[in-house]
Amino acid sequence: MREAVAGGRDLPSALITSRSRQVTAFVRVQGRLPAGLFDLEAVPRAARMLLLSACDGQQATIVRGDDPRRALLRLQLPCRQARRSGHTTALGVDWGLNTLLSAGAARLHGDGRITALGAGGMFRTAGGLARVHRLRRNGEHLHAENGHCRQLIG
C-alpha cells in the first residue's frame, strides 16, 4: 500500500494498517474496491456539544439559539478572501476523542489526483486529560478522608 499511495513512505504504519482493514471490510460487504476515501468513511456524527477551547473570543464565538439542537458559530476569517472558483488547495480539519484536533492540507492537480501537502498535524489532549483525572481522584480521596475525620470527631 505504501507504493500505491503518493507519499506513502511517510505515512505512519498505524494509518496504513487501519486503512487496509477499512478496505478489506468494504470489499467484504460491498463486493468491490472503494472508489475513493469517501466510500470508506461513514457520514460524520457530531457531538451535541463541541468545546472551542483553542480559540479566543476574537477568533470564534458560539451562541445557542431558540432551538436547543442548533448553535451559531461565528469565525473571523482573514481580511483577504480567495477567489470563489479555481481552488486547488484545501485544508481538512477533524476532531475526536483521542485527538482533539487534527488537520491536513491537500492539493488538487489538473489530472484529478489529490496529494497531501506534508504529514498534517494534530493536537492530542492525553496529557491534559490525565492531569484532570489525577486531580479528580485526589479530590475524591481528600473528600473521603474529610468524611472519615468528621465521623471520628462525631
Side-chain angles (χ1 to χ4, degrees):
M1 183 174 275
R2 286 191 187 278
E3 290 80 28
V5 176
R9 64 184 180 95
D10 299 325
L11 292 174
S13 295
L15 180 67
I16 292 198
T17 302
S18 66
R19 289 294 182 201
S20 298
R21 287 181 184 146
Q22 279 183 309
V23 169
T24 304
F26 184 89
V27 169
R28 190 177 333 113
V29 172
Q30 301 292 333
R32 64 176 176 85
L33 285 172
L37 184 63
F38 294 109
D39 273 356
L40 293 176
E41 295 292 329
V43 176
R45 294 180 301 163
R48 292 182 152 251
M49 181 182 294
L50 172 65
L51 300 177
L52 296 175
S53 60
C55 296
D56 65 8
Q58 293 177 345
Q59 295 172 329
T61 59
I62 189 164
V63 179
R64 288 209 180 272
D66 296 336
D67 185 358
R69 295 174 299 157
R70 304 189 113 208
L72 176 63
L73 173 66
R74 287 191 177 109
L75 298 172
Q76 183 172 348
L77 297 174
C79 295
R80 183 174 168 229
Q81 303 293 340
R83 293 187 321 265
R84 291 181 185 229
S85 63
H87 295 291
T88 58
T89 306
L91 175 67
V93 181
D94 190 20
W95 71 87
L97 294 176
N98 295 328
T99 56
L100 179 64
L101 187 69
S102 54
R107 173 163 290 139
L108 175 65
H109 297 277
D111 60 356
R113 289 181 306 117
I114 298 175
T115 57
L117 300 176
M122 62 183 65
F123 175 70
R124 294 184 181 267
T125 59
L129 290 176
R131 182 174 184 210
V132 167
H133 291 310
R134 188 175 65 249
L135 290 173
R136 181 187 48 79
R137 282 194 311 267
N138 288 345
E140 290 172 356
H141 176 72
L142 290 174
H143 183 70
E145 286 290 320
N146 189 10
H148 184 68
C149 288
R150 286 185 190 271
Q151 282 181 341
L152 289 176
I153 291 172

